[in-house]
Amino acid sequence: MPREAPLCIVSLIASATEIVCALGQRDRLVGRSHECDFPPDVVGLPQLTEAKFKVEGTSAEIDARVRAIVRDGLSVYRVDGDALKALEPDVIVTQDHCEVCAVSLSDVEAATCSWTGRPVRIVSLKPDSTADVYADIRRVALPLVQPRRERRSSATCSPASPRSPRALRKGLARVAFIEWVEPLMAGGNWMPELIEAAGGHNLFGVAGRHSDWMQWEDLLTADPR
């Protein structure tokens, strides 16, 4: 019986690139996004995406450029569809958690919608919590460690449960996690859970929800320390 050819993987999000490599599948990576730079040797892989805006400057300048693109109804990133197709990937990893943070699922679908004759599996990540992060790692692993097989794994991954805010003791560090400076944004999603699990008291941002804008006055009033 002829041996199956090894899967070819393209990762279009930096976190997924690190996941693939941590799973021992670095040799299967054939392409990356413009943001993928770890492990360092992945920089030598073909770069398949780029931002449509100038990424240099202050946080306020970058925010203004992104808002202008979104206001016009355009995608924030560009996928090199021809280069992507030439690599003949079996699996493409992307995300649909944030349309402006990285190449999105819709960007990848637009780049591959006309492909015929070669099936490709698109794995899209959407981590809103630490439990979602573990689930996404498993979702990336399944097509890599079980290629072309219709098997279900009974393995599950569960993060440690963070402390309940009601169980917080006096003296814990009061933490304000800031995701963006201008305009000011508090870190949400899994960050509040990580802060609580580390023994801190999270002041802003809601676990399981997208990061939200905040005011400098609220930050000063909260007095993080």
Side-chain angles (χ1 to χ4, degrees):
M1 179 180 296
R3 297 178 62 184
E4 291 181 337
L7 268 69
C8 292
I9 309 161
V10 164
S11 172
L12 299 181
I13 178 173
S15 59
T17 296
E18 295 191 34
I19 291 171
V20 170
C21 294
L23 291 170
Q25 306 298 315
R26 165 64 184 86
D27 59 331
R28 292 181 174 181
L29 274 173
V30 296
R32 65 178 179 92
S33 79
H34 62 286
E35 295 179 313
C36 298
D37 59 5
F38 190 86
D41 67 307
V42 302
V43 176
L45 296 173
Q47 176 182 312
L48 303 170
T49 67
E50 63 180 354
K52 293 181 180 178
F53 61 94
K54 183 180 178 182
V55 296
E56 294 83 7
T58 67
S59 58
E61 291 169 342
I62 294 173
D63 178 72
R65 294 170 196 146
V66 171
R67 287 176 182 269
I69 293 175
V70 173
R71 187 165 54 246
D72 292 337
L74 302 175
S75 172
V76 179
Y77 300 93
R78 183 179 295 106
V79 178
D80 188 337
D82 292 336
L84 178 61
K85 184 176 182 179
L87 292 173
E88 298 186 337
D90 300 290
V91 179
I92 301 173
V93 188
T94 184
Q95 62 88 40
D96 59 319
H97 178 261
C98 174
E99 290 291 323
V100 301
C101 301
V103 171
S104 67
L105 175 60
S106 58
D107 295 328
V108 177
E109 290 176 336
T112 60
C113 65
S114 63
W115 291 13
T116 59
R118 182 179 176 85
V120 60
R121 179 170 180 175
I122 300 176
V123 179
S124 188
L125 310 184
K126 190 175 183 179
D128 291 320
S129 65
T130 52
D132 293 338
V133 171
Y134 280 82
D136 277 348
I137 293 173
R138 182 168 179 267
R139 292 179 62 239
V140 172
L142 285 176
L144 308 186
V145 301
Q146 297 178 310
R148 302 178 179 86
R149 297 180 184 178
E150 295 298 329
R151 296 195 304 180
R152 290 181 177 268
S153 171
S154 59
T156 58
C157 297
S158 300
S161 299
R163 301 181 185 183
S164 168
R166 287 178 293 184
L168 292 173
R169 300 188 300 274
K170 291 183 178 180
L172 292 181
R174 295 164 50 80
V175 181
F177 181 83
I178 305 302
E179 185 166 308
W180 199 258
V181 177
E182 190 177 1
L184 196 63
M185 176 185 283
N189 301 303
W190 57 86
M191 288 309 304
E193 294 178 275
L194 294 184
I195 292 169
E196 301 286 355
H201 174 39
N202 180 61
L203 297 174
F204 298 98
V206 179
R209 297 184 185 178
H210 282 296
S211 303
D212 202 2
W213 307 114
M214 58 184 294
Q215 301 298 319
W216 283 102
E217 291 78 7
D218 295 332
L219 179 61
L220 293 173
T221 300
D223 191 26
R225 58 181 65 189

